[in-house]
Amino acid sequence: MVTIYQHGFLIDGLADSALDDGLVVYEGTKILYAGPYRPEIAAKYPDAQLNDCQGKTIMPGLIDAHVHLTMYGKGSSVHDFLVDSATYTALKAAEMAKRDLRAGFTTIRSLGDKASADFAVKRASNEGLIEGPRVLSSGKCISITGGHGDFVPGDVQLDTIGETCDGVEQVRRAARERLKNNADCIKVMATGGGNSPGPGTASQMTIDEMRAAVEVAETRGVLTAAHCIGTEGIKNAMRAGIRTIEHASFIDDEGIEMALRGGHYICSTLCAFRTMEQPPDAGIPDYVVEKIRYFATAHYSGLQKAYKSGVKIMLGTDTGTPYNFHGCNADELWRFVRDGGFTPMDAIKAGTSVAAEGLRQDDIGVLAEGKTADILIVNGNVLSDVRILSRQENIAVIHNGKLIV
């Protein structure tokens, strides 16, 4: 059946301005036309389901390039996923995926999950067993002993979001195991972080270790991502050939130049700073709050400089970290505008065409003939106030041509 949405503000994900009177036509999972309203095109489909979008925005489905499906935003998130069973973890992950989809995110990339539950969620979503977005999975992240993601002290045996590997051969084997499970991305931990013990900015994985992961990934055309907070770790990840740099809090001028020269993408995860915005009794360990506040001393200025320099920046939220809830992912857009100095259109592109390009997803992120019908219909003009997208009651979500909500 052909479906038509017409007479809305049309943002196609590529143009620098919206069309005041747009038209989108799709059949099944594919877009037949997206562009200015033309009555002769609408007239081609007299039996189509016709939807008038006066006063609404028609735009591509959003992409969140950094989530954690097995974490769900409570102050005790890290503790909870350590002690939860693998079965409960998978059930929880399926619910988090549903919340992300209903918030307008038709594609998500999961970057480190307990029990590699994201593999199961991806399969269940693809097979129509659960309501969920397109999931790009990485399984567990690859860390070093005592590094970020290695949350468990001493000889305690608990499942976590990371697998510890020391040395090139261990990293290579771990990366191959992820490819065996059809991973879409291999994630490594280049530096310390906020939610695990130890210095947050210290470099951890070596260039050679990270390069081993890249070499394995490239045998299948699979993406690579690196958690990077500290300055040298950011540059080490780029030297190793990592494609997407997560967080990049302490990026410096040399790092920005390396990103531009090497075609690296930054995933800035501004929503992760909700952690430091909570009251003292929120249940977040003090050392975590202290580290996140320290990261913030450089993060915003680094992002602003990278954006102004032309570095490609993708929308990613780190959703699942403390008080960073699934279903609230669209807050990243107004944080781009408020804290990163982005124009509203550039913020939207970060979550559509730029993210699609960075994740090598050619069929999504834009509204154009032949592309997948991932479409949002939003009450109001989102370029007037991107916060409209943070209220789910304003959004109708079409994923793979199917109206979800």
Side-chain angles (χ1 to χ4, degrees):
M1 179 180 180
V2 175
T3 303
I4 294 176
Y5 287 89
Q6 61 185 18
H7 303 313
F9 303 109
L10 178 64
I11 297 173
D12 67 6
L14 290 171
D16 291 330
S17 58
L19 294 172
D20 289 335
D21 189 8
L23 171 67
V24 173
V25 182
Y26 69 90
E27 182 176 24
T29 64
K30 294 298 181 181
I31 295 172
L32 302 176
Y33 173 84
Y37 177 76
R38 291 169 56 187
E40 67 272 20
I41 290 179
K44 286 183 181 180
Y45 309 101
D47 298 325
Q49 179 181 320
L50 196 61
N51 301 276
D52 188 272
C53 295
Q54 291 278 355
K56 298 181 179 181
T57 300
I58 309 169
M59 62 178 285
L62 290 165
I63 301 167
D64 191 333
H66 190 136
V67 307
H68 296 280
L69 287 172
T70 56
M71 298 173 69
Y72 54 116
K74 291 174 61 178
S76 58
S77 281
V78 173
H79 171 269
D80 291 349
F81 80 68
L82 287 174
V83 300
D84 286 344
S85 69
T87 305
Y88 181 71
T89 294
L91 292 171
K92 180 173 63 178
E95 172 60 25
M96 298 305 109
K98 176 181 175 180
R99 294 182 188 183
D100 292 343
L101 176 60
R102 292 191 165 218
F105 286 81
T106 51
T107 301
I108 60 174
R109 179 176 60 159
S110 188
L111 284 181
D113 277 305
K114 174 177 176 169
S116 295
D118 53 325
F119 291 140
V121 173
K122 176 175 72 171
R123 179 179 174 184
S125 182
N126 287 345
E127 294 179 359
L129 298 177
I130 63 171
E131 182 183 296
R134 182 177 299 100
V135 178
L136 306 179
S137 59
S138 67
K140 290 186 176 185
C141 55
I142 301 174
S143 183
I144 63 168
T145 298
H148 186 50
D150 184 9
F151 296 98
V152 185
D155 297 325
V156 178
Q157 298 297 313
L158 291 174
D159 196 6
T160 180
I161 67 170
E163 177 181 354
T164 55
C165 296
D166 298 306
V168 166
E169 291 308 315
Q170 289 188 12
V171 171
R172 184 176 286 119
R173 179 177 179 83
R176 287 171 175 164
E177 287 175 347
R178 280 144 187 77
L179 295 188
K180 180 180 176 180
N181 285 293
N182 296 314
D184 302 289
C185 182
I186 294 172
K187 182 188 179 186
V188 299
M189 300 300 210
T191 74
N195 281 286
S196 56
T201 57
S203 296
Q204 294 185 348
M205 291 194 79
T206 67
I207 295 173
D208 286 343
E209 287 171 328
M210 289 187 281
R211 187 175 289 128
V214 171
E215 290 170 354
V216 171
E218 288 180 346
T219 65
R220 297 270 192 93
V222 167
L223 296 169
T224 51
H227 163 97
C228 301
I229 300 296
T231 302
E232 198 59 28
I234 294 168
K235 291 185 279 194
N236 284 346
M238 290 190 278
R239 290 173 182 130
I242 297 290
R243 182 172 177 84
T244 72
I245 306 301
E246 312 302 307
H247 316 300
S249 295
F250 286 85
I251 194 167
D252 63 6
D253 290 346
E254 182 185 17
I256 289 171
E257 178 56 34
M258 289 174 67
L260 289 167
R261 189 170 61 249
H264 305 277
Y265 292 73
I266 288 177
C267 197
S268 190
T269 64
L270 292 170
C271 281
F273 288 100
R274 286 196 181 103
T275 296
M276 70 177 187
E277 297 166 2
Q278 306 310 312
D281 60 352
I284 307 169
D286 289 343
Y287 79 89
V288 172
V289 177
E290 289 173 7
K291 286 202 284 185
I292 300 299
R293 285 177 176 159
Y294 175 55
F295 300 166
T297 63
H299 193 104
Y300 301 121
S301 59
L303 172 61
Q304 291 165 12
K305 185 174 285 189
Y307 167 61
K308 291 175 182 177
S309 299
V311 176
K312 292 185 177 182
I313 297 167
M314 306 187 299
L315 186 152
T317 59
D318 213 4
T319 286
T321 51
Y323 292 90
N324 192 1
F325 296 103
H326 290 269
C328 298
N329 319 48
D331 287 355
E332 189 78 12
L333 291 158
W334 67 262
R335 287 173 183 264
F336 271 140
V337 174
R338 185 192 70 178
D339 301 325
F342 286 49
T343 66
M345 184 62 89
D346 282 348
I348 289 169
K349 286 182 180 180
T352 54
S353 58
V354 176
E357 179 184 286
L359 300 180
R360 294 183 182 146
Q361 297 295 304
D362 295 337
D363 289 339
I364 61 172
V366 299
L367 300 182
E369 181 181 350
K371 302 296 186 181
T372 298
D374 283 358
I375 305 166
L376 304 185
I377 310 299
V378 188
N379 294 330
N381 183 347
V382 299
L383 295 179
S384 298
D385 185 359
V386 294
R387 289 174 295 182
I388 293 171
L389 287 161
S390 295
R391 298 187 286 276
Q392 291 186 32
E393 65 271 17
N394 288 329
I395 304 172
V397 181
I398 299 155
H399 177 41
N400 281 328
K402 179 182 177 182
L403 180 63
I404 304 298
V405 286

